[in-house]
Amino acid sequence: MNGPILVFGARGQVGREVVALASARGVPIAGLSRQEADITNEVTVRAALDVHRPAAVVNAAAYTSIDRAEREPELAAAVNVTGPAVLAAACANAGVPLIHLSCDQVFDGTRKRPYVENDKVSPISVYGRTKAEGEAKVRELAQRHLIIRTSWIYGPHGRNFLRNVMKLAGERDELRMVGDQIGCPTATIDLAEAILVAARKLAAEAKVSGIFHFAGNGATSWYKFATEIVQRQAVFTGKTPKVVEIKLSEYPTAAKRGLNCELDSSRFRSTFGYTASPWNFRVAEVVASLISAANRKAAQAAAAATAAAPPPA
Ligand SMILES: NC(=O)c1ccc[n+]([C@@H]2O[C@H](COP(=O)([O-])OP(=O)(O)OC[C@H]3O[C@@H](n4cnc5c(N)ncnc54)[C@H](OP(=O)(O)O)[C@@H]3O)[C@@H](O)[C@H]2O)c1
């Protein structure tokens, strides 16, 4: 590629995985946090493109608190609509292709089959509406772009369902989880790989563009996802809290959600030749890595406490 990949939102769970994976592979990449580049600030964004002269830009920055967005619609719109518009215009001006991330929440979740790229967007929450409007800005303003819609992201960093369940499983004897909402849990490492594969093709082939769905392989419910996490964690901790299945209607939230979040990723697979691993395969891997990181931290803290203790009299 002629120049690095430039990632905005590089401290988020997806952003940091993309930067880490590319760095480990020796692929030139630069990541900018919100503090280093606010995507709603045109001057900062243009300056970043001038400095880095990227071959492709990845927008991993977003306002992602679905329920909080209901009470902060302006802030959500600034990051999810104005931000992508600023990035798209700056990329068009610099002649750089843009990869923008979006989500299943652009749909209302009522379809009885997995959503495909051509399905009409029909958001039912503030967050979903801002993501749909952000997509529209990218399509309107960026000359060359890919919009990658994904769902139910989990990984070793940041706020996500897997880390939440692991924490709750350590604290409680019973977890209540929604069983009638279906989606495709997507590991950050698989999504990072998909973004790198797409960036390489986008930088090399002028005709690659449009919307693509990329999500974990296989659909499941939050209840089954949580059960898998608890079982994997129990291998290390021996603690198995009971997971109780409830309905989405029994779990009131500020934002409305539909029952079907399943995305069909076959267009991504046929265009880019890459598919995510089965979602439960990655769950085992991420749980194991988080447990060993916690064990390492505990051992270091114990060693530090021993070193700091006064010698016996
Ligand atoms: N999480 C999911 O389950 C999920 C599902 C489907 C799709 N997606 C989409 O996937 C993408 C990545 O999500 P994620 O889970 O990695 O999100 P995340 O962990 O919440 O990270 C988002 C990052 O964006 C940064 N950010 C917020 N406002 C910004 C601004 N104005 N300028 C620059 N950076 C800004 C945040 O900075 P701070 O750390 O300083 O707040 C954060 O580091 C998003 O487009 C999201 O909509 C996510």
Side-chain angles (χ1 to χ4, degrees), residues 166-198:
M166 284 181 73
K167 181 169 177 292
L168 293 176
E171 297 166 357
R172 299 184 185 175
D173 296 325
E174 185 180 294
L175 310 182
R176 288 161 60 79
M177 294 289 156
V178 171
D180 58 347
Q181 191 184 30
I182 302 298
C184 305
T186 307
T188 50
I189 188 71
D190 286 348
L191 182 55
E193 183 78 60
I195 291 169
L196 293 185
V197 166

Side-chain angles (χ1 to χ4, degrees), residues 199-225:
R200 195 162 52 236
K201 195 158 172 118
L202 183 63
E205 292 179 30
K207 63 184 192 322
V208 178
S209 75
I211 300 180
F212 293 86
H213 290 176
F214 179 87
N217 199 346
T220 191
S221 66
W222 293 116
Y223 164 76
K224 289 186 184 152
F225 189 12

Side-chain angles (χ1 to χ4, degrees), residues 24-298:
R25 298 257 173 86
V27 174
I29 194 152
L32 299 172
S33 68
R34 186 219 298 244
Q35 287 69 28
E36 290 164 324
D38 181 333
I39 59 164
T40 65
N41 185 324
E42 201 180 316
V43 175
T44 314
V45 167
R46 283 180 186 249
L49 293 187
D50 272 354
V51 169
H52 292 280
R53 305 213 167 266
V57 163
V58 174
N59 179 25
Y63 179 107
T64 53
S65 298
I66 302 187
D67 290 313
R68 219 171 61 212
E70 298 294 316
R71 29 183 182 88
E72 296 181 339
E74 289 86 12
L75 185 55
V79 184
N80 292 348
V81 185
T82 309
V86 167
L87 277 175
C91 284
N93 186 53
V96 176
L98 170 65
I99 296 181
H100 173 69
L101 295 177
S102 190
C103 68
D104 55 286
Q105 294 298 307
V106 299
F107 300 118
D108 64 11
T110 56
R111 275 209 192 275
K112 300 292 177 243
R113 54 151 175 82
Y115 281 91
V116 293
E117 289 81 353
N118 292 340
D119 285 327
K120 200 169 173 323
V121 296
S122 49
I124 51 173
S125 65
V126 168
Y127 172 75
R129 272 194 295 280
T130 62
K131 292 301 289 185
E133 286 172 28
E135 288 185 0
K137 291 290 182 196
V138 169
R139 296 172 74 177
E140 179 195 330
L141 298 168
Q143 268 164 4
R144 296 194 53 221
H145 64 268
L146 293 182
I147 294 170
I148 301 181
R149 292 192 189 126
T150 186
S151 75
W152 295 20
I153 297 176
Y154 70 93
H157 308 291
R159 280 187 310 268
N160 62 62
F161 181 78
L162 179 142
R163 296 191 65 197
N164 216 6
V165 168
M166 284 181 73
K167 181 169 177 292
L168 293 176
E171 297 166 357
R172 299 184 185 175
D173 296 325
E174 185 180 294
L175 310 182
R176 288 161 60 79
M177 294 289 156
V178 171
D180 58 347
Q181 191 184 30
I182 302 298
C184 305
T186 307
T188 50
I189 188 71
D190 286 348
L191 182 55
E193 183 78 60
I195 291 169
L196 293 185
V197 166
R200 195 162 52 236
K201 195 158 172 118
L202 183 63
E205 292 179 30
K207 63 184 192 322
V208 178
S209 75
I211 300 180
F212 293 86
H213 290 176
F214 179 87
N217 199 346
T220 191
S221 66
W222 293 116
Y223 164 76
K224 289 186 184 152
F225 189 12
T227 303
E228 178 80 16
I229 296 163
V230 164
Q231 284 170 356
R232 295 293 175 181
Q233 188 173 11
V235 171
F236 299 94
T237 62
K239 186 166 188 290
T240 319
K242 189 170 170 210
V243 186
V244 178
E245 186 170 357
I246 62 167
K247 291 196 176 304
L248 182 62
S249 55
E250 294 173 74
Y251 185 73
T253 51
K256 271 209 224 161
R257 289 163 167 83
L259 290 178
N260 181 15
C261 305
E262 188 177 352
L263 297 176
D264 179 331
S265 302
S266 40
R267 185 171 180 228
F268 190 98
R269 186 168 54 243
S270 59
T271 306
F272 298 104
Y274 176 68
T275 188
S277 44
W279 67 267
N280 46 352
F281 175 75
R282 292 296 189 194
V283 168
E285 217 173 75
V286 177
V287 168
S289 79
L290 283 167
I291 296 270
S292 39
N295 288 345
R296 264 198 314 276
K297 212 168 146 192

